Amino acid sequence: MQSFWNTLEKPILIQAPMDDVTDTVFRQIIARCGKPDVFFTEFTNVEGMCSRGKDKVGKRIVFTPVERPIVAQIWGLDPLKFTETAKLIKRMGFDGIDINMGCPEKSVVKRGSCGAIIDNPKLAKEIILAVRKGAVGLPISVKTRIGVKNIQTEKWIKFLLEMDLDAITIHGRTVAEMSDVPNHWDEIGKAVRLRDSMKSKTLIIGNGDIGQERRCRKI
Ligand SMILES: Cc1cc2nc3c(=O)[nH]c(=O)nc-3n(C[C@H](O)[C@H](O)[C@H](O)COP(=O)(O)O)c2cc1C
């Protein structure tokens, strides 16, 4: 199956996933006033999607045709639940699945999920393979950061590139840096050069400094 990521004309403008912000209503409004090339859902927990409260959690991945191409972003810990959620996302008609391996919020990092997965490549691999099993043919991407406590771009991004993903979004800060320092765009450049040297076809998307810009404008 042709990945929609390969059909987009560069430069690609993407609506970043934002918890409690980028729901279907928000996306429909944005689609009307300035549609980006790709939409993302809010991050959605796979354990929640496989629980008795799944109807409530599932509201996070509702979409309408005007929001396409749209990628469902998921997060969690249990590979089996990643597979089950990926199957559902495929059935719902999403264009892609994104795995969150970058959120720095203490509540999720403490559990070993999202940004904490950067220090746990064994789990990262299990999760990616689990999503691939459920997604059968849907493009799979990862959104991540450049390290947990220290910058580890080469080691971590090399590992992700070896997983043969369709796309990797790199937020150019470590988990510990939250959004408190300027984005390390040089590290994102390093990842692109690494990708090219590995002759990988994975699309690399740069992310960060949106909040930074907002703070600058306030001053
Ligand atoms: C309110 C809010 C919610 C966010 N929720 C998510 C999310 O669900 N998934 C995700 O990958 N990133 C999330 N992010 C991060 C953004 O997608 C984006 O990476 C970030 O805002 C850009 O970097 P900045 O901190 O320099 O602005 C969120 C950011 C904000 C401000």
Side-chain angles (χ1 to χ4, degrees), residues 143-155:
K143 182 164 176 227
T144 192
R145 290 187 173 231
I146 55 176
V148 177
K149 288 202 175 121
N150 305 305
I151 295 179
Q152 296 212 324
T153 311
E154 273 169 59
K155 188 170 162 219

Side-chain angles (χ1 to χ4, degrees), residues 135-169:
V136 272
L138 266 193
I140 299 171
S141 53
V142 164
K143 182 164 176 227
T144 192
R145 290 187 173 231
I146 55 176
V148 177
K149 288 202 175 121
N150 305 305
I151 295 179
Q152 296 212 324
T153 311
E154 273 169 59
K155 188 170 162 219
W156 171 237
I157 302 300
K158 179 172 184 285
F159 163 82
L160 286 180
L161 288 166
E162 283 165 350
M163 294 306 300
D164 202 20
L165 296 156
D166 292 274
I168 303 171
T169 302

Side-chain angles (χ1 to χ4, degrees), residues 16-22 41-44 60 73 98 100 102-103 143 145 171 173 178-179 181 183 207-215:
M18 281 187 286
D19 181 37
D20 260 353
V21 179
T22 57
T41 67
E42 307 166 72
F43 74 162
T44 300
R60 302 170 75 93
Q73 191 190 65
D98 188 71
N100 186 310
C103 178
K143 182 164 176 227
R145 290 187 173 231
H171 180 97
R173 300 185 180 102
M178 305 286 285
S179 279
V181 301
N183 207 41
N207 171 268
D209 272 349
I210 299 166
Q212 205 73 17
E213 207 187 315
R214 191 181 58 225
R215 281 195 291 279

